[in-house]
Amino acid sequence: MGSTKKIKSALISVYHKDNLDDIVKKLHDLQVKIYSTGGTKSFIEGLGVPVTSVESLTEYPSIFGGRVKTLHPKVFGGILYRRDEAKDREEAAKYAVPDIDLVIVDLYPFEATVTSGAPDADIIEKIDIGGISLIRAAAKNYKDVLIVPSKREYAPLQTLLDEKNGETNVEDRRKFATAAFNVSSHYDTAIFNYFNREQNETVFKQSFTEGMTLRYGENPHQKGFFFGDFDALFDKLNGKEVSYNNLLDIDAAVNLIADFDEPTFAILKHNNACGLATDSSLLKAWEKALAGDPVSAFGGVLISNREIDVATATEIDKLFYEVLIAPSFAPAAAALLQTKKNRILLRQKTVLTEEQQYRSVLNGLIYQDKDLSTEKPTDMTPVTAVAPTSEQLNDLAFANKIVKHSKSNTIVLAKDKQLLASGVGQTSRVDALKQAIDKAHSFGFDLNGAVMASDAFFPFPDCVEIAGKAGIKAIVQPGGSIKDKDSIDKANELSLTMVTTGIRHFKH
Protein backbone atom coordinates (compact mmCIF):
# COMPACT_ATOMS: atom_id res chain seq x y z
CA MET A 1 0.00 0.00 0.00
CA GLY A 2 1.07 3.60 -0.52
CA SER A 3 2.25 6.28 1.88
CA THR A 4 0.30 6.21 5.14
CA LYS A 5 -0.63 9.50 6.74
CA LYS A 6 -2.29 10.35 10.01
CA ILE A 7 -5.14 12.86 9.96
CA LYS A 8 -4.23 15.61 12.42
CA SER A 9 -6.43 18.44 11.20
CA ALA A 10 -9.68 18.79 9.29
CA LEU A 11 -11.69 21.53 7.61
CA ILE A 12 -15.44 20.92 7.64
CA SER A 13 -17.85 23.09 5.66
CA VAL A 14 -21.08 21.36 4.66
CA TYR A 15 -24.65 22.11 3.64
CA HIS A 16 -26.16 18.78 4.73
CA LYS A 17 -25.29 17.87 8.30
CA ASP A 18 -27.25 14.61 8.56
CA ASN A 19 -25.03 11.76 9.80
CA LEU A 20 -22.14 14.16 10.36
CA ASP A 21 -22.28 14.05 14.15
CA ASP A 22 -20.64 10.62 14.52
CA ILE A 23 -17.82 11.69 12.19
CA VAL A 24 -17.19 14.85 14.19
CA LYS A 25 -17.15 12.92 17.47
CA LYS A 26 -14.78 10.33 16.01
CA LEU A 27 -12.40 13.04 14.80
CA HIS A 28 -12.47 14.56 18.28
CA ASP A 29 -11.69 11.16 19.81
CA LEU A 30 -8.72 10.90 17.43
CA GLN A 31 -7.54 14.34 18.63
CA VAL A 32 -7.99 15.91 15.20
CA LYS A 33 -7.99 19.72 15.19
CA ILE A 34 -11.17 20.92 13.45
CA TYR A 35 -11.62 24.16 11.49
CA SER A 36 -15.04 25.33 10.40
CA THR A 37 -17.24 28.33 9.70
CA GLY A 38 -20.85 29.49 9.70
CA GLY A 39 -23.62 26.97 10.32
CA THR A 40 -21.25 24.00 10.31
CA LYS A 41 -19.18 25.56 13.09
CA SER A 42 -22.34 26.11 15.15
CA PHE A 43 -23.39 22.51 14.55
CA ILE A 44 -20.02 21.20 15.77
CA GLU A 45 -20.10 23.44 18.83
CA GLY A 46 -23.58 22.08 19.57
CA LEU A 47 -22.03 18.62 19.82
CA GLY A 48 -19.68 19.86 22.52
CA VAL A 49 -16.63 19.41 20.27
CA PRO A 50 -13.90 22.10 20.17
CA VAL A 51 -13.70 23.88 16.81
CA THR A 52 -11.52 26.69 15.48
CA SER A 53 -13.20 29.26 13.28
CA VAL A 54 -11.80 29.77 9.79
CA GLU A 55 -12.03 33.50 10.45
CA SER A 56 -9.54 33.23 13.33
CA LEU A 57 -7.18 31.30 11.04
CA THR A 58 -7.40 33.77 8.15
CA GLU A 59 -7.85 36.85 10.36
CA TYR A 60 -10.53 37.85 7.90
CA PRO A 61 -14.30 37.79 8.42
CA SER A 62 -16.91 36.09 6.27
CA ILE A 63 -17.97 38.81 3.84
CA PHE A 64 -20.54 39.61 1.14
CA GLY A 65 -23.33 37.68 2.80
CA GLY A 66 -21.19 34.57 3.19
CA ARG A 67 -20.07 34.49 -0.45
CA VAL A 68 -16.43 34.69 0.68
CA LYS A 69 -15.46 32.59 3.70
CA THR A 70 -12.78 30.01 2.93
CA LEU A 71 -11.18 31.62 -0.12
CA HIS A 72 -7.89 32.53 1.52
CA PRO A 73 -4.20 31.49 1.08
CA LYS A 74 -4.01 30.10 4.61
CA VAL A 75 -6.87 27.73 3.86
CA PHE A 76 -5.91 26.73 0.34
CA GLY A 77 -2.23 26.78 1.18
CA GLY A 78 -2.87 24.33 4.02
CA ILE A 79 -4.60 22.02 1.54
CA LEU A 80 -2.38 22.40 -1.51
CA TYR A 81 1.14 22.61 -0.22
CA ARG A 82 3.17 19.48 -0.96
CA ARG A 83 4.41 17.89 2.21
CA ASP A 84 7.33 16.17 0.46
CA GLU A 85 8.61 19.41 -1.14
CA ALA A 86 11.15 21.21 1.05
CA LYS A 87 10.40 24.60 -0.52
CA ASP A 88 6.66 24.17 0.09
CA ARG A 89 7.33 23.30 3.72
CA GLU A 90 9.53 26.36 4.13
CA GLU A 91 6.87 28.65 2.68
CA ALA A 92 4.15 27.09 4.82
CA ALA A 93 6.25 27.78 7.93
CA LYS A 94 7.13 31.30 6.80
CA TYR A 95 3.50 32.31 6.23
CA ALA A 96 2.05 30.34 9.16
CA VAL A 97 0.03 28.08 6.88
CA PRO A 98 -1.32 25.10 8.86
CA ASP A 99 -1.59 21.55 7.58
CA ILE A 100 -5.12 20.60 6.58
CA ASP A 101 -5.19 16.83 6.17
CA LEU A 102 -8.91 16.24 5.75
CA VAL A 103 -11.53 18.35 3.94
CA ILE A 104 -15.23 17.53 4.31
CA VAL A 105 -17.49 19.50 1.98
CA ASP A 106 -21.11 19.16 0.87
CA LEU A 107 -22.11 21.62 -1.84
CA TYR A 108 -25.11 23.92 -1.98
CA PRO A 109 -28.04 22.00 -3.57
CA PHE A 110 -28.01 23.69 -6.96
CA GLU A 111 -29.95 21.01 -8.87
CA ALA A 112 -32.60 20.67 -6.18
CA THR A 113 -33.10 24.44 -6.19
CA VAL A 114 -33.56 24.44 -9.98
CA THR A 115 -36.02 21.54 -9.75
CA SER A 116 -38.01 23.35 -7.07
CA GLY A 117 -38.87 26.12 -9.52
CA ALA A 118 -37.12 28.77 -7.43
CA PRO A 119 -36.52 32.19 -9.00
CA ASP A 120 -33.28 32.82 -10.84
CA ALA A 121 -31.79 34.92 -8.03
CA ASP A 122 -32.18 32.06 -5.54
CA ILE A 123 -30.70 29.58 -8.02
CA ILE A 124 -27.65 31.77 -8.59
CA GLU A 125 -27.02 31.95 -4.84
CA LYS A 126 -26.90 28.15 -4.77
CA ILE A 127 -23.86 28.10 -7.06
CA ASP A 128 -21.19 27.01 -4.60
CA ILE A 129 -17.82 28.76 -5.01
CA GLY A 130 -15.80 28.06 -1.90
CA GLY A 131 -16.96 24.47 -1.60
CA ILE A 132 -16.19 23.50 -5.18
CA SER A 133 -12.77 25.16 -4.87
CA LEU A 134 -12.01 23.21 -1.70
CA ILE A 135 -13.02 19.96 -3.39
CA ARG A 136 -10.77 20.51 -6.40
CA ALA A 137 -7.83 21.65 -4.29
CA ALA A 138 -7.98 18.71 -1.88
CA ALA A 139 -8.52 16.20 -4.70
CA LYS A 140 -5.58 17.60 -6.65
CA ASN A 141 -3.35 17.13 -3.61
CA TYR A 142 -4.69 13.64 -2.79
CA LYS A 143 -1.15 12.45 -2.06
CA ASP A 144 -1.36 14.43 1.17
CA VAL A 145 -5.03 15.25 1.75
CA LEU A 146 -8.23 13.23 2.08
CA ILE A 147 -11.28 14.84 0.44
CA VAL A 148 -14.88 13.99 1.33
CA PRO A 149 -16.87 15.79 -1.41
CA SER A 150 -20.49 15.04 -0.53
CA LYS A 151 -22.80 13.47 2.01
CA ARG A 152 -22.66 10.24 -0.03
CA GLU A 153 -19.09 9.80 1.18
CA TYR A 154 -19.91 10.33 4.88
CA ALA A 155 -20.46 6.61 5.44
CA PRO A 156 -17.24 5.49 3.68
CA LEU A 157 -15.33 8.09 5.71
CA GLN A 158 -16.87 6.82 8.94
CA THR A 159 -15.82 3.27 8.06
CA LEU A 160 -12.30 4.44 7.21
CA LEU A 161 -11.95 6.31 10.51
CA ASP A 162 -13.27 3.36 12.51
CA GLU A 163 -11.10 0.77 10.79
CA LYS A 164 -7.84 2.72 10.54
CA ASN A 165 -8.07 5.12 13.49
CA GLY A 166 -7.43 8.24 11.43
CA GLU A 167 -4.76 6.83 9.13
CA THR A 168 -5.12 6.73 5.33
CA ASN A 169 -2.96 5.46 2.52
CA VAL A 170 -2.60 6.94 -0.95
CA GLU A 171 -5.02 4.39 -2.43
CA ASP A 172 -7.69 5.53 0.05
CA ARG A 173 -7.08 9.16 -0.79
CA ARG A 174 -7.07 8.61 -4.54
CA LYS A 175 -10.39 6.75 -4.31
CA PHE A 176 -11.98 9.70 -2.51
CA ALA A 177 -10.35 12.10 -4.99
CA THR A 178 -12.00 10.21 -7.83
CA ALA A 179 -15.36 10.69 -6.12
CA ALA A 180 -14.49 14.37 -5.70
CA PHE A 181 -13.90 14.99 -9.39
CA ASN A 182 -17.12 13.10 -10.12
CA VAL A 183 -18.97 15.52 -7.83
CA SER A 184 -17.30 18.65 -9.20
CA SER A 185 -17.73 17.73 -12.88
CA HIS A 186 -21.40 16.82 -12.33
CA TYR A 187 -22.02 20.06 -10.46
CA ASP A 188 -20.46 22.18 -13.19
CA THR A 189 -22.44 20.32 -15.86
CA ALA A 190 -25.70 21.09 -14.07
CA ILE A 191 -24.79 24.77 -13.83
CA PHE A 192 -23.79 24.96 -17.50
CA ASN A 193 -27.02 23.29 -18.62
CA TYR A 194 -29.04 25.74 -16.54
CA PHE A 195 -27.36 28.68 -18.22
CA ASN A 196 -27.54 27.03 -21.64
CA ARG A 197 -31.25 26.17 -21.54
CA GLU A 198 -31.88 27.82 -24.90
CA GLN A 199 -28.94 25.98 -26.49
CA ASN A 200 -27.11 29.25 -27.13
CA GLU A 201 -23.94 27.17 -27.17
CA THR A 202 -24.05 24.14 -29.46
CA VAL A 203 -22.50 21.96 -26.79
CA PHE A 204 -23.67 18.67 -25.32
CA LYS A 205 -23.05 17.94 -21.65
CA GLN A 206 -24.78 15.32 -19.55
CA SER A 207 -23.78 13.78 -16.26
CA PHE A 208 -25.27 10.89 -14.31
CA THR A 209 -24.10 10.05 -10.81
CA GLU A 210 -26.41 7.03 -10.48
CA GLY A 211 -25.76 3.84 -12.38
CA MET A 212 -25.83 0.08 -12.34
CA THR A 213 -23.97 -2.74 -14.05
CA LEU A 214 -26.27 -4.91 -16.14
CA ARG A 215 -25.94 -8.66 -16.60
CA TYR A 216 -24.85 -7.94 -20.17
CA GLY A 217 -25.72 -5.67 -23.07
CA GLU A 218 -28.01 -6.37 -25.98
CA ASN A 219 -26.35 -9.79 -26.33
CA PRO A 220 -24.46 -11.93 -23.80
CA HIS A 221 -21.05 -11.15 -25.32
CA GLN A 222 -21.58 -7.38 -24.81
CA LYS A 223 -21.02 -5.47 -21.57
CA GLY A 224 -23.91 -3.32 -20.44
CA PHE A 225 -24.49 -0.45 -18.01
CA PHE A 226 -27.40 1.82 -17.16
CA PHE A 227 -26.72 5.38 -16.06
CA GLY A 228 -29.66 7.11 -14.44
CA ASP A 229 -31.81 6.96 -11.31
CA PHE A 230 -34.07 3.98 -12.03
CA ASP A 231 -35.41 4.02 -8.47
CA ALA A 232 -36.71 7.57 -8.92
CA LEU A 233 -39.12 6.26 -11.55
CA PHE A 234 -40.03 2.81 -10.26
CA ASP A 235 -40.45 0.68 -7.17
CA LYS A 236 -39.30 -2.82 -8.07
CA LEU A 237 -41.69 -5.18 -6.32
CA ASN A 238 -40.48 -8.49 -7.67
CA GLY A 239 -38.25 -10.27 -10.12
CA LYS A 240 -34.74 -10.70 -11.41
CA GLU A 241 -32.35 -7.92 -12.33
CA VAL A 242 -33.53 -5.62 -15.09
CA SER A 243 -31.60 -6.26 -18.31
CA TYR A 244 -30.39 -4.01 -21.11
CA ASN A 245 -33.19 -5.18 -23.39
CA ASN A 246 -35.73 -4.86 -20.57
CA LEU A 247 -34.73 -1.22 -20.18
CA LEU A 248 -35.25 -0.50 -23.87
CA ASP A 249 -38.72 -2.05 -23.73
CA ILE A 250 -39.57 -0.33 -20.44
CA ASP A 251 -38.60 3.01 -21.96
CA ALA A 252 -40.76 2.34 -25.02
CA ALA A 253 -43.64 1.20 -22.82
CA VAL A 254 -43.76 4.20 -20.48
CA ASN A 255 -43.51 6.63 -23.39
CA LEU A 256 -46.33 4.83 -25.21
CA ILE A 257 -48.74 4.56 -22.28
CA ALA A 258 -48.25 8.24 -21.43
CA ASP A 259 -50.29 9.15 -24.52
CA PHE A 260 -53.40 7.34 -23.25
CA ASP A 261 -55.80 8.74 -20.65
CA GLU A 262 -58.57 6.10 -20.61
CA PRO A 263 -57.92 2.65 -19.04
CA THR A 264 -55.40 1.07 -21.39
CA PHE A 265 -53.23 -2.04 -21.53
CA ALA A 266 -50.26 -2.47 -23.87
CA ILE A 267 -47.98 -5.40 -24.65
CA LEU A 268 -44.59 -4.62 -26.20
CA LYS A 269 -41.97 -6.73 -27.88
CA HIS A 270 -38.68 -5.32 -29.17
CA ASN A 271 -39.89 -1.76 -28.45
CA ASN A 272 -43.09 -2.06 -30.53
CA ALA A 273 -46.66 -2.59 -29.37
CA CYS A 274 -47.88 -6.05 -30.41
CA GLY A 275 -51.11 -5.65 -28.44
CA LEU A 276 -52.93 -2.59 -27.13
CA ALA A 277 -56.49 -1.81 -26.18
CA THR A 278 -58.54 0.79 -24.33
CA ASP A 279 -61.71 -0.17 -22.43
CA SER A 280 -63.66 0.99 -19.41
CA SER A 281 -62.85 -2.41 -17.86
CA LEU A 282 -59.15 -3.05 -17.31
CA LEU A 283 -59.72 -6.79 -17.59
CA LYS A 284 -61.33 -6.33 -21.00
CA ALA A 285 -58.52 -4.00 -22.06
CA TRP A 286 -56.05 -6.77 -21.14
CA GLU A 287 -58.01 -9.45 -22.98
CA LYS A 288 -58.33 -7.32 -26.11
CA ALA A 289 -54.64 -6.35 -26.01
CA LEU A 290 -53.60 -9.99 -25.68
CA ALA A 291 -55.91 -11.00 -28.55
CA GLY A 292 -54.03 -8.61 -30.83
CA ASP A 293 -51.05 -10.97 -30.94
CA PRO A 294 -51.00 -13.75 -28.32
CA VAL A 295 -47.91 -15.25 -29.96
CA SER A 296 -45.68 -12.17 -29.70
CA ALA A 297 -47.00 -11.46 -26.19
CA PHE A 298 -44.96 -14.41 -24.86
CA GLY A 299 -41.95 -12.96 -23.05
CA GLY A 300 -43.16 -9.41 -23.60
CA VAL A 301 -43.25 -6.26 -21.51
CA LEU A 302 -46.72 -5.34 -20.22
CA ILE A 303 -47.90 -1.93 -19.08
CA SER A 304 -51.13 -0.40 -17.84
CA ASN A 305 -52.13 3.09 -16.77
CA ARG A 306 -54.47 1.78 -14.08
CA GLU A 307 -54.06 -0.27 -10.88
CA ILE A 308 -53.80 -4.01 -11.50
CA ASP A 309 -56.77 -5.66 -9.81
CA VAL A 310 -57.07 -9.31 -8.81
CA ALA A 311 -59.26 -10.32 -11.76
CA THR A 312 -56.80 -8.87 -14.28
CA ALA A 313 -53.80 -10.26 -12.40
CA THR A 314 -55.33 -13.74 -12.51
CA GLU A 315 -55.48 -13.62 -16.30
CA ILE A 316 -52.05 -12.02 -16.68
CA ASP A 317 -50.55 -14.74 -14.51
CA LYS A 318 -51.40 -17.30 -17.19
CA LEU A 319 -48.88 -15.71 -19.56
CA PHE A 320 -45.09 -15.82 -19.39
CA TYR A 321 -43.86 -12.23 -19.50
CA GLU A 322 -40.65 -10.39 -18.63
CA VAL A 323 -41.93 -7.16 -17.04
CA LEU A 324 -45.26 -5.79 -15.81
CA ILE A 325 -45.55 -2.04 -15.16
CA ALA A 326 -48.47 -0.25 -13.52
CA PRO A 327 -49.07 2.79 -11.29
CA SER A 328 -50.18 0.46 -8.49
CA PHE A 329 -51.14 -3.12 -7.66
CA ALA A 330 -53.99 -4.26 -5.45
CA PRO A 331 -52.38 -6.13 -2.51
CA ALA A 332 -53.92 -9.46 -3.48
CA ALA A 333 -52.93 -8.93 -7.11
CA ALA A 334 -49.33 -8.19 -6.14
CA ALA A 335 -49.21 -11.27 -3.90
CA LEU A 336 -50.45 -13.45 -6.75
CA LEU A 337 -48.00 -12.06 -9.31
CA GLN A 338 -45.07 -12.27 -6.89
CA THR A 339 -45.33 -16.06 -6.75
CA LYS A 340 -43.30 -16.17 -10.01
CA LYS A 341 -39.93 -15.07 -8.63
CA ASN A 342 -38.29 -14.02 -11.91
CA ARG A 343 -41.12 -11.91 -13.29
CA ILE A 344 -40.31 -8.23 -12.86
CA LEU A 345 -43.06 -6.09 -11.30
CA LEU A 346 -42.55 -2.33 -11.45
CA ARG A 347 -44.71 0.28 -9.78
CA GLN A 348 -44.31 3.45 -11.83
CA LYS A 349 -44.02 6.40 -9.46
CA THR A 350 -43.85 9.26 -11.93
CA VAL A 351 -44.03 10.01 -15.63
CA LEU A 352 -41.02 10.84 -17.75
CA THR A 353 -40.46 14.57 -18.00
CA GLU A 354 -37.49 14.67 -20.37
CA GLU A 355 -38.19 16.71 -23.48
CA GLN A 356 -35.01 15.85 -25.38
CA GLN A 357 -33.35 12.61 -26.42
CA TYR A 358 -29.99 11.57 -27.79
CA ARG A 359 -28.16 8.52 -29.10
CA SER A 360 -24.64 7.65 -30.14
CA VAL A 361 -23.75 7.70 -33.84
CA LEU A 362 -20.38 7.44 -35.58
CA ASN A 363 -17.83 9.09 -33.30
CA GLY A 364 -20.35 11.34 -31.56
CA LEU A 365 -24.06 11.60 -30.89
CA ILE A 366 -27.23 13.14 -32.23
CA TYR A 367 -29.64 15.11 -30.10
CA GLN A 368 -33.21 16.22 -30.72
CA ASP A 369 -36.46 17.30 -29.12
CA LYS A 370 -38.65 14.31 -28.27
CA ASP A 371 -41.72 13.73 -30.42
CA LEU A 372 -44.27 15.10 -27.98
CA SER A 373 -46.98 15.77 -30.55
CA THR A 374 -50.12 13.71 -30.00
CA GLU A 375 -52.89 14.54 -32.45
CA LYS A 376 -56.49 14.64 -31.27
CA PRO A 377 -59.57 14.26 -33.52
CA THR A 378 -59.79 18.05 -33.68
CA ASP A 379 -56.27 18.13 -35.19
CA MET A 380 -57.37 16.00 -38.16
CA THR A 381 -58.37 17.60 -41.45
CA PRO A 382 -60.78 15.63 -43.68
CA VAL A 383 -59.57 15.66 -47.30
CA THR A 384 -62.07 13.26 -48.95
CA ALA A 385 -65.68 13.51 -50.04
CA VAL A 386 -66.71 11.05 -47.33
CA ALA A 387 -66.34 12.68 -43.93
CA PRO A 388 -65.26 10.59 -40.91
CA THR A 389 -67.74 9.72 -38.21
CA SER A 390 -66.99 10.60 -34.58
CA GLU A 391 -66.31 6.90 -33.91
CA GLN A 392 -63.85 6.76 -36.80
CA LEU A 393 -62.10 9.91 -35.61
CA ASN A 394 -61.64 8.39 -32.14
CA ASP A 395 -60.23 5.20 -33.65
CA LEU A 396 -57.96 7.19 -35.97
CA ALA A 397 -56.59 9.15 -33.01
CA PHE A 398 -56.09 5.85 -31.14
CA ALA A 399 -54.23 4.27 -34.08
CA ASN A 400 -52.15 7.38 -34.66
CA LYS A 401 -50.84 7.24 -31.09
CA ILE A 402 -49.61 3.70 -31.68
CA VAL A 403 -48.02 4.69 -35.01
CA LYS A 404 -46.09 7.42 -33.24
CA HIS A 405 -44.43 4.85 -30.98
CA SER A 406 -43.74 2.16 -33.62
CA LYS A 407 -40.58 1.67 -35.67
CA SER A 408 -40.74 3.07 -39.22
CA ASN A 409 -41.94 2.30 -41.76
CA THR A 410 -45.12 1.44 -39.93
CA ILE A 411 -48.82 0.92 -40.54
CA VAL A 412 -51.33 0.37 -37.72
CA LEU A 413 -54.79 -1.16 -38.11
CA ALA A 414 -57.36 -0.64 -35.35
CA LYS A 415 -61.07 -0.84 -34.59
CA ASP A 416 -63.08 0.02 -31.48
CA LYS A 417 -59.90 1.19 -29.72
CA GLN A 418 -58.17 -2.15 -30.16
CA LEU A 419 -54.93 -2.70 -32.05
CA LEU A 420 -55.77 -5.33 -34.66
CA ALA A 421 -52.31 -5.54 -36.19
CA SER A 422 -49.34 -3.47 -37.24
CA GLY A 423 -46.54 -3.72 -39.73
CA VAL A 424 -43.37 -2.24 -38.26
CA GLY A 425 -39.76 -1.63 -39.20
CA GLN A 426 -40.29 -2.26 -42.91
CA THR A 427 -38.26 -0.72 -45.72
CA SER A 428 -41.46 -0.28 -47.75
CA ARG A 429 -44.76 1.17 -46.57
CA VAL A 430 -46.55 -1.28 -48.84
CA ASP A 431 -44.75 -4.15 -47.10
CA ALA A 432 -45.74 -2.72 -43.71
CA LEU A 433 -49.40 -2.64 -44.77
CA LYS A 434 -49.33 -6.14 -46.22
CA GLN A 435 -47.68 -7.43 -43.03
CA ALA A 436 -50.38 -5.80 -40.91
CA ILE A 437 -53.22 -7.19 -43.02
CA ASP A 438 -51.78 -10.71 -43.05
CA LYS A 439 -51.21 -10.58 -39.31
CA ALA A 440 -54.75 -9.37 -38.59
CA HIS A 441 -56.21 -12.15 -40.69
CA SER A 442 -53.99 -14.76 -39.03
CA PHE A 443 -55.52 -13.89 -35.64
CA GLY A 444 -59.08 -13.94 -36.99
CA PHE A 445 -59.81 -10.22 -37.15
CA ASP A 446 -62.36 -8.85 -39.60
CA LEU A 447 -60.94 -5.66 -41.11
CA ASN A 448 -64.29 -4.43 -42.44
CA GLY A 449 -64.81 -1.01 -40.89
CA ALA A 450 -61.27 -0.84 -39.45
CA VAL A 451 -59.10 2.27 -39.62
CA MET A 452 -55.50 2.64 -40.75
CA ALA A 453 -52.75 4.98 -39.53
CA SER A 454 -49.48 5.66 -41.34
CA ASP A 455 -46.42 7.31 -39.78
CA ALA A 456 -45.66 9.19 -43.01
CA PHE A 457 -47.36 10.30 -46.21
CA PHE A 458 -48.19 8.07 -49.17
CA PRO A 459 -46.00 8.85 -52.19
CA PHE A 460 -48.26 6.65 -54.30
CA PRO A 461 -51.91 5.53 -54.04
CA ASP A 462 -51.01 1.83 -53.74
CA CYS A 463 -51.46 1.65 -49.95
CA VAL A 464 -54.87 3.27 -50.19
CA GLU A 465 -55.95 0.76 -52.80
CA ILE A 466 -54.69 -2.23 -50.78
CA ALA A 467 -56.39 -0.89 -47.64
CA GLY A 468 -59.70 -0.40 -49.42
CA LYS A 469 -59.67 -3.94 -50.78
CA ALA A 470 -59.04 -5.25 -47.23
CA GLY A 471 -62.19 -3.52 -45.92
CA ILE A 472 -60.54 -0.56 -44.20
CA LYS A 473 -62.81 2.49 -44.26
CA ALA A 474 -60.80 5.36 -42.75
CA ILE A 475 -57.18 6.48 -43.03
CA VAL A 476 -55.04 8.97 -41.13
CA GLN A 477 -51.71 10.13 -42.52
CA PRO A 478 -49.59 13.29 -42.24
CA GLY A 479 -49.99 14.42 -45.84
CA GLY A 480 -47.37 16.57 -47.48
CA SER A 481 -46.47 14.49 -50.53
CA ILE A 482 -46.36 16.24 -53.90
CA LYS A 483 -48.64 13.37 -54.96
CA ASP A 484 -51.17 13.69 -52.12
CA LYS A 485 -53.91 14.20 -54.72
CA ASP A 486 -53.33 10.71 -56.16
CA SER A 487 -53.97 9.08 -52.76
CA ILE A 488 -56.97 11.32 -52.08
CA ASP A 489 -58.45 10.54 -55.48
CA LYS A 490 -58.01 6.82 -54.87
CA ALA A 491 -59.73 7.14 -51.47
CA ASN A 492 -62.64 8.97 -53.11
CA GLU A 493 -62.83 6.30 -55.81
CA LEU A 494 -63.14 3.63 -53.10
CA SER A 495 -65.52 5.74 -50.95
CA LEU A 496 -62.99 5.85 -48.10
CA THR A 497 -62.52 8.67 -45.66
CA MET A 498 -59.07 10.15 -45.23
CA VAL A 499 -57.77 12.77 -42.81
CA THR A 500 -54.38 14.44 -42.58
CA THR A 501 -52.58 15.80 -39.52
CA GLY A 502 -49.55 17.64 -40.93
CA ILE A 503 -47.37 15.80 -38.41
CA ARG A 504 -45.01 13.01 -39.44
CA HIS A 505 -44.04 10.38 -36.86
CA PHE A 506 -40.91 8.68 -38.12
CA LYS A 507 -39.19 6.56 -35.48
CA HIS A 508 -35.87 4.86 -36.15
Side-chain angles (χ1 to χ4, degrees):
M1 304 296 279
S3 171
T4 298
K5 293 183 178 290
K6 182 80 172 179
I7 297 172
K8 298 179 181 178
S9 60
L11 171 62
I12 307 176
S13 179
V14 301
Y15 186 87
H16 291 101
K17 300 168 183 65
D18 299 342
N19 302 317
L20 186 64
D21 48 352
D22 287 341
I23 291 172
V24 170
K25 291 173 183 176
K26 183 66 176 182
L27 291 173
H28 178 57
D29 291 344
L30 295 171
Q31 298 182 326
V32 174
K33 182 179 180 66
I34 298 175
Y35 298 97
S36 192
T37 186
T40 307
K41 175 175 174 289
S42 299
F43 172 81
I44 295 170
E45 289 172 335
L47 298 173
V49 173
V51 56
T52 300
S53 70
V54 169
E55 291 81 359
S56 67
L57 170 64
T58 63
E59 298 180 341
Y60 221 91
S62 172
I63 57 177
F64 308 131
R67 280 189 165 197
V68 179
K69 291 183 285 190
T70 57
L71 296 167
H72 192 279
K74 283 195 173 182
V75 174
F76 282 85
I79 296 168
L80 282 165
Y81 95 82
R82 293 157 292 190
R83 276 59 161 175
D84 59 353
E85 292 279 343
K87 192 172 187 311
D88 282 13
R89 293 197 301 271
E90 290 172 5
E91 289 181 341
K94 179 179 179 181
Y95 296 108
V97 174
D99 288 13
I100 297 178
D101 307 315
L102 168 65
V103 176
I104 303 176
V105 178
D106 186 54
L107 300 173
Y108 293 159
F110 177 83
E111 288 179 280
T113 307
V114 172
T115 302
S116 74
D120 185 70
D122 291 351
I123 292 170
I124 297 304
E125 287 307 311
K126 287 298 185 289
I127 298 176
D128 207 311
I129 302 301
I132 204 78
S133 302
L134 291 168
I135 287 173
R136 292 178 64 85
K140 177 177 180 176
N141 200 26
Y142 73 89
K143 290 184 178 180
D144 296 310
V145 180
L146 180 68
I147 173 62
V148 178
S150 77
K151 62 180 181 179
R152 292 179 62 175
E153 281 71 46
Y154 289 178
L157 172 63
Q158 183 74 60
T159 300
L160 192 65
L161 294 173
D162 290 340
E163 291 180 353
K164 295 189 175 182
N165 289 316
E167 291 189 346
T168 66
N169 57 49
V170 72
E171 287 81 7
D172 297 327
R173 297 190 294 275
R174 188 180 179 95
K175 181 179 178 181
F176 277 82
T178 301
F181 285 120
N182 181 29
V183 168
S184 65
S185 63
H186 178 79
Y187 198 75
D188 285 340
T189 295
I191 294 169
F192 170 79
N193 285 334
Y194 175 75
F195 276 86
N196 200 42
R197 285 167 295 174
E198 304 302 323
Q199 292 296 121
N200 295 322
E201 296 288 336
T202 310
V203 174
F204 179 85
K205 293 182 186 294
Q206 286 291 326
S207 176
F208 297 95
T209 56
E210 303 283 346
M212 58 183 176
T213 301
L214 305 174
R215 297 196 303 274
Y216 50 81
E218 205 159 7
N219 299 291
H221 64 278
Q222 297 169 267
K223 289 183 179 180
F225 302 88
F226 171 71
F227 297 102
D229 191 355
F230 188 81
D231 293 339
L233 297 175
F234 304 101
D235 287 326
K236 185 165 175 281
L237 306 181
N238 191 68
K240 60 187 177 182
E241 293 179 9
V242 175
S243 72
Y244 183 98
N245 291 326
N246 289 156
L247 287 167
L248 291 175
D249 281 327
I250 291 167
D251 178 71
V254 297
N255 279 289
L256 170 63
I257 205 72
D259 275 342
F260 293 87
D261 298 321
E262 299 174 272
T264 300
F265 226 113
I267 306 170
L268 288 90
K269 200 72 172 288
H270 296 292
N271 311 158
N272 294 299
C274 59
L276 192 150
T278 292
D279 196 284
S280 57
S281 160
L282 188 64
L283 176 58
K284 288 182 180 178
W286 161 252
E287 291 172 341
K288 289 162 70 174
L290 180 61
D293 187 346
V295 175
S296 296
F298 183 85
V301 168
L302 322 178
I303 189 165
S304 175
N305 59 1
R306 293 294 190 274
E307 179 176 272
I308 304 299
D309 54 48
V310 176
T312 307
T314 301
E315 294 304 309
I316 292 172
D317 195 51
K318 298 175 182 177
L319 176 74
F320 170 75
Y321 59 88
E322 285 277 328
V323 183
L324 171 58
I325 309 163
S328 59
F329 295 80
L336 171 63
L337 296 169
Q338 286 168 334
T339 59
K340 308 287 177 61
K341 65 178 183 179
N342 286 331
R343 312 247 176 114
I344 299 168
L345 300 185
L346 298 177
R347 180 167 52 217
Q348 186 176 353
K349 297 189 284 190
T350 184
V351 297
L352 294 174
T353 57
E354 286 74 11
E355 296 184 354
Q356 287 79 36
Q357 58 188 173
Y358 49 90
R359 63 198 294 185
S360 61
V361 295
L362 302 175
N363 59 351
L365 56 83
I366 49 178
Y367 177 96
Q368 67 171 356
D369 294 334
K370 286 180 71 172
D371 184 357
L372 298 176
S373 180
T374 304
E375 293 73 52
K376 303 181 293 295
T378 53
D379 299 317
M380 297 177 179
T381 303
V383 293
T384 49
V386 179
T389 65
S390 59
E391 290 81 7
Q392 286 175 327
L393 282 172
N394 287 331
D395 271 348
L396 289 168
F398 172 89
N400 203 50
K401 291 176 183 178
I402 303 172
V403 149
K404 169 185 166 182
H405 295 279
S406 301
K407 294 295 180 71
S408 298
N409 287 309
T410 182
I411 293 287
V412 165
L413 307 180
K415 184 164 62 174
D416 299 329
K417 295 186 178 178
Q418 178 185 18
L419 171 62
L420 303 183
S422 60
V424 299
Q426 299 301 303
T427 53
S428 158
R429 198 162 304 283
V430 170
D431 286 344
L433 174 55
K434 288 179 177 178
Q435 182 190 59
I437 292 171
D438 289 345
K439 190 173 181 181
H441 287 157
S442 73
F443 291 116
F445 287 112
D446 180 3
L447 292 178
N448 275 305
V451 306
M452 178 174 89
S454 173
D455 60 337
F457 61 63
F458 301 117
F460 305 104
D462 45 9
C463 281
V464 178
E465 184 172 9
I466 294 168
K469 289 180 179 179
I472 291 160
K473 297 299 182 185
I475 300 170
V476 58
Q477 54 122 342
S481 168
I482 59 174
K483 294 185 176 182
D484 269 352
K485 186 175 182 300
D486 293 349
S487 294
I488 295 169
D489 288 346
K490 180 58 69 173
N492 282 325
E493 178 187 323
L494 299 173
S495 298
L496 307 183
T497 184
M498 180 184 288
V499 299
T500 59
T501 63
I503 302 292
R504 188 181 74 182
H505 288 298
F506 270 168
K507 185 181 180 187
H508 296 106

